[in-house]
Each structure stands twice: as C-alpha cells, then as structure tokens.
C-alpha cells in the first residue's frame, strides 16, 4: 500500500533555526539572539492585551479594521491597501503561495533572511540565491539573476543578519530594472531603527508601483514578538490576492489590541530608537577596539566577525559567551561561519557582552 508523503520539494526545506534562549546548566541567561527590543513593549500595549483577554472566547475581527486604521493613520496610508499577518513571516508565505507556481523562481540574496527560502520552497517555487557585495544587497547581482521564470524578489532592507542597507535610490533602480510581472517584496522589519537620510522603507515606491509590496512587523521596535503581528502594504492586486489566501482570523484579538496601542505610543518607539542609536555606536566602537570586525549596521543588531586565528573563532567566542550566560546568534546557517550576531540589549547587558568579549580576546594574548 502507499504511504503519505509531502508534496515534492517539502523535504528539501531546511527548517528555520530560531535564536537560542537557554544555556545548559544555567538558570538565567541574557538573550541577545533574536533582535528583540530590550525595552519591551509600550505599557499601553500590555494593558490593551490584558483588557482584550477578557473576551478570549470570541473570534477576533477578521478584517482587523481598527488595526489597519491605526497603521494607516500612523503612516498616512490607505487602510484598504494593508493586510495583516501572523508575524511578517506569514506574509512571506502568503505572498509565495499567491504568486509562485511550481518551478517559478524567487530571488533572495546570499545572506538574506532565512524565511524567504522556506516560503518559496513551501509554495513549490525555486529559491535562487544571488551574491551580495560587501555583505550588502547588490542590485546588479539581483537583476542579473532574473530569468523568464522569476516571479518574486525578496530583499530585507536593512538585512538580517548583516545589518546593512541599501539607499532608496538603489531600491528604485531595482524596481525599475525588474520585469513588471515580478513581485518585489521589501521587508522593512527594522525600518524604525534606521537613521540615514538616504533610507526609506518604501512606502512611496509601493504607492507608485504595481509590483512592489512592503512588509513590516510589530516584533521588533514595538516589542510584541510573542504576539505575532506583521503587516503588508501593497497595490490592490497584491492585497486582494493576500486576502484571498490568508486564514480568516490570522491575527488574534489580544494581539490586534496590543498592536494598536503600540503603534499609537510614538513616545515609546522614540525611546527604543534613541536607546538603540546610542548603544549601536558604543558597542561598535568598543567591540572593534578589541580586534573584532564590526560590520557597519543600521538596525538593532551588529554582525561581529572574529579573526579566526590564535583560537579566536566565532565558535570559541560563542562557547565563551555562553559560559558567561550570554546568548548571541552564531550565523553559520547564514553562510557566515566566522561571525556572530549581537542584538543591542540594555546598558548592563551590553556592558556584560563587551566585558566577556574583552576577556575572550585577551585570553592567550602574548602566548
Ligand atoms: C529581516 C526580517 N524579516 C522578518 C522577520 C520576522 O518578523 P516577524 O516576527 O514579524 O515574523 C525577521 C525576524 O527576525 C527579520 O529579521
């Protein structure tokens, strides 16, 4: 007799590996492995979540009108062009499901966010990886990777785990060079953190194109990673397709309530951004002074490259940090085996990382 087997291609998917949260043998650890905000969510979001917990037996608003309205107000958008997701991860899957047929190609960059590949394969598509230049998205490499089977391009701007970005002019050049039947997905999960004059998340490009969709998340600066809320802003055709394939209640009620309160608390967001800006610079300066290469970054994390000589490997550093109860994110699965990603934490957590890295790099010196 036959046996159940997943559809062709599913077994070829490498499951997503989340940042670790525990160190064996330790009760507590400092988790700086998943780019979560160290300041937590707005207290108003927590209150809204708890209030919404009073009605857990009731299905949530399947069209999440008030949440879309709050997002639209915040960014001056048309609420009808917004679709929410169970985290932005779900939106990548929905986009792939709606726009990729069997054998269609979706381009992602060399060190791009892992979920693009998974979403592509899960939809029956073929992930196509293109080179980055200097750990940064390379528009020419993407354009050179386009074939007549290409239907989607995913870029994270800024990218995770590299922390680098491309200016909006480059994003526009990419869009202008793509055939009109290719969906350009701009993943702007870390947009709020970027303090650069030449950066834009892509709102205007979405508004003025028919093939660009931007995704955002409540998991990072808003501190609601556990609740799983993301949103996409796109042209009518894309929004309509996403609304057809998504689950009818794909964002929970308490999550919607918390997200509305979070996006309205602009002061809390400003505080988180200011904290990040301050520490991104301090961490970069002090860690590079230790002889560790710090890739210039604009989000809430830093990619650290270890020298690899004299025992100073990323693997050894990771073990050393863990022995101090510090969990960072080794990036071997992102083809960066000599690197570790560090999320900006609270002042004392950052100081603990700097102290541990200093001890690690000092070990055996002069031996
Ligand atoms: C670039 C990028 N996009 C999307 C996500 C996923 O966010 P969400 O929690 O909204 O699914 C992450 C999370 O790590 C990310 O780094």
């Amino acid at each position: 007799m036959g046996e159940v087997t997943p559809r062709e291609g599913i077994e070829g998917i490498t499951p997503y590996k989340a940042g670790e949260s525990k160190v064996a043998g330790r009760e507590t650890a400092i988790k700086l492995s998943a780019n979560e905000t160290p300041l937590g969510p707005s207290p108003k979001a927590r209150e809204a979540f708890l209030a919404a917990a009073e009605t857990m037996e009731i299905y949530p608003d399947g069209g999440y009108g008030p949440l879309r309205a709050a997002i639209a107000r915040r960014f001056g958008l048309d609420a009808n062009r917004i679709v929410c997701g169970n985290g932005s991860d779900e939106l990548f899957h929905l986009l792939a499901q709606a726009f990729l047929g069997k054998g269609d190609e979706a381009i992602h960059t060399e060190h791009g966010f892992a979920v693009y590949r998974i979403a592509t394969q899960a939809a029956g598509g073929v992930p196509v990886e293109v080179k980055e230049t200097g750990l940064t998205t390379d528009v020419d490499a993407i354009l050179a990777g386009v074939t007549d089977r290409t239907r989607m391009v995913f870029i994270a701007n800024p990218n995770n785990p590299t922390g680098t970005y491309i200016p909006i002019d480059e994003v526009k050049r990419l869009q202008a060079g793509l055939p009109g039947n290719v969906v350009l997905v701009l993943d702007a999960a870390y947009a709020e953190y970027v303090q650069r004059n030449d950066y834009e998340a892509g709102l205007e490009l979405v508004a003025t194109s028919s093939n660009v969709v931007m995704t955002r998340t409540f998991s990072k600066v808003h501190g609601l990673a556990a609740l799983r809320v993301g949103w996409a802003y796109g042209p009518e055709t894309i929004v309509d397709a996403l609304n057809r394939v998504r689950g009818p209640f794909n964002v929970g009620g308490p999550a919607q309530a918390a997200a509305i309160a979070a996006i309205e608390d602009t002061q809390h967001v400003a505080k988180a951004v200011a904290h990040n800006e301050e520490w991104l610079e301090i961490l970069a300066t002090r860690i590079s002074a230790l002889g560790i290469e710090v890739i210039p970054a604009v989000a809430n994390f830093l990619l650290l490259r270890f020298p690899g000589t004299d025992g100073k490997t990323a693997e050894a550093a990771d073990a050393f940090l863990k022995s101090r109860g510090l969990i960072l994110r080794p990036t071997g699965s992102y083809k960066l085996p000599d690197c570790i990603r560090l999320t900006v934490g609270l002042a004392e957590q950052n100081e603990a990382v700097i102290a541990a890295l200093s001890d690690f790099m000092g070990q055996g010196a002069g031996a």
Side-chain angles (χ1 to χ4, degrees), residues 16 34-35 86-90 92 113 115-116 156 158-160 187 189-190 215-220 225 228-230 301 341:
Y16 184 78
N35 301 342
N86 198 254
S88 42
D89 285 346
E90 187 195 24
F92 306 137
F113 184 49
V115 175
Y116 309 150
N159 190 32
N160 169 25
D187 172 0
Y190 300 95
T215 59
R216 302 287 284 261
T217 183
F218 281 90
S219 302
K220 306 298 175 184
R228 315 304 303 126
V229 192
F301 54 90
R341 191 191 66 197

Side-chain angles (χ1 to χ4, degrees), residues 49-133:
F49 179 84
L50 292 173
E54 294 299 321
T55 51
M56 277 200 269
E57 72 282 16
I58 308 294
Y59 276 103
D61 176 349
Y64 23 75
L67 174 55
R68 284 188 296 112
I71 296 168
R73 260 195 315 276
R74 171 70 186 80
F75 294 104
L77 308 176
D78 175 356
N80 293 320
R81 298 283 202 84
I82 296 169
V83 185
C84 298
N86 198 254
S88 42
D89 285 346
E90 187 195 24
L91 295 163
F92 306 137
H93 280 273
L94 295 175
L95 283 161
Q97 219 180 306
F99 290 93
L100 297 179
K102 188 172 182 316
D104 285 344
E105 295 171 0
I107 296 177
H108 66 89
T109 66
E110 195 179 355
H111 309 295
F113 184 49
V115 175
Y116 309 150
R117 199 177 175 83
I118 297 174
T120 300
Q121 289 173 295
V126 179
V128 174
E129 181 184 302
V130 300
K131 286 277 175 216
E132 296 184 7
T133 298

Side-chain angles (χ1 to χ4, degrees), residues 149-172:
R149 290 311 303 264
T150 308
R151 290 291 174 274
M152 192 164 281
V153 171
F154 288 102
I155 65 165
N157 200 27
N159 190 32
N160 169 25
T162 55
T164 57
Y165 79 107
I166 56 170
I168 187 66
D169 283 353
E170 278 293 277
V171 180
K172 287 182 180 163

Side-chain angles (χ1 to χ4, degrees), residues 35-39 158 188-196 199 216 219-223 269 271-277 280 297-301 343-344:
N35 301 342
E36 293 134 336
T37 170
L39 303 193
Y190 300 95
E192 291 83 354
Y193 288 113
V194 187
Q195 309 288 310
R196 292 289 186 281
Y199 176 81
R216 302 287 284 261
S219 302
K220 306 298 175 184
V221 82
H222 295 296
V269 172
K271 203 165 112 185
V273 170
H275 172 86
N276 189 66
E277 190 61 5
L280 205 55
V298 296
N300 66 336
F301 54 90
T343 305
V344 173

Side-chain angles (χ1 to χ4, degrees), residues 118-296:
I118 297 174
T120 300
Q121 289 173 295
V126 179
V128 174
E129 181 184 302
V130 300
K131 286 277 175 216
E132 296 184 7
T133 298
L135 298 175
T136 307
T137 298
D138 180 333
V139 167
D140 293 310
I142 295 175
L143 293 174
V146 173
T147 72
D148 57 4
R149 290 311 303 264
T150 308
R151 290 291 174 274
M152 192 164 281
V153 171
F154 288 102
I155 65 165
N157 200 27
N159 190 32
N160 169 25
T162 55
T164 57
Y165 79 107
I166 56 170
I168 187 66
D169 283 353
E170 278 293 277
V171 180
K172 287 182 180 163
R173 189 165 75 83
L174 172 59
Q175 190 274 337
L178 288 175
N181 64 347
V182 174
V183 177
L184 173 59
V185 183
L186 301 178
D187 172 0
Y190 300 95
E192 291 83 354
Y193 288 113
V194 187
Q195 309 288 310
R196 292 289 186 281
N197 289 333
D198 58 357
Y199 176 81
E200 277 176 37
L203 294 171
E204 190 205 324
L205 189 60
V206 170
T208 54
S209 324
S210 58
N211 64 335
V212 184
V213 58
M214 181 194 66
T215 59
R216 302 287 284 261
T217 183
F218 281 90
S219 302
K220 306 298 175 184
V221 82
H222 295 296
L224 300 179
L227 301 188
R228 315 304 303 126
V229 192
W231 56 278
Y233 170 58
E236 207 176 318
T237 326
I238 296 181
V239 166
D240 179 66
L242 294 178
N243 276 324
R244 286 172 198 272
V245 293
R246 72 178 175 88
F249 305 104
N250 62 334
V251 181
Q256 292 182 36
I260 293 169
I263 204 162
E264 287 177 347
D265 192 347
T266 50
Q267 272 187 348
H268 186 79
V269 172
K271 203 165 112 185
V273 170
H275 172 86
N276 189 66
E277 190 61 5
E278 180 189 351
W279 277 99
L280 205 55
E281 169 138 20
I282 298 173
L283 284 163
T285 307
R286 290 176 56 191
I287 293 174
S288 39
L290 301 174
I292 298 165
E293 185 189 352
V294 180
I295 311 306

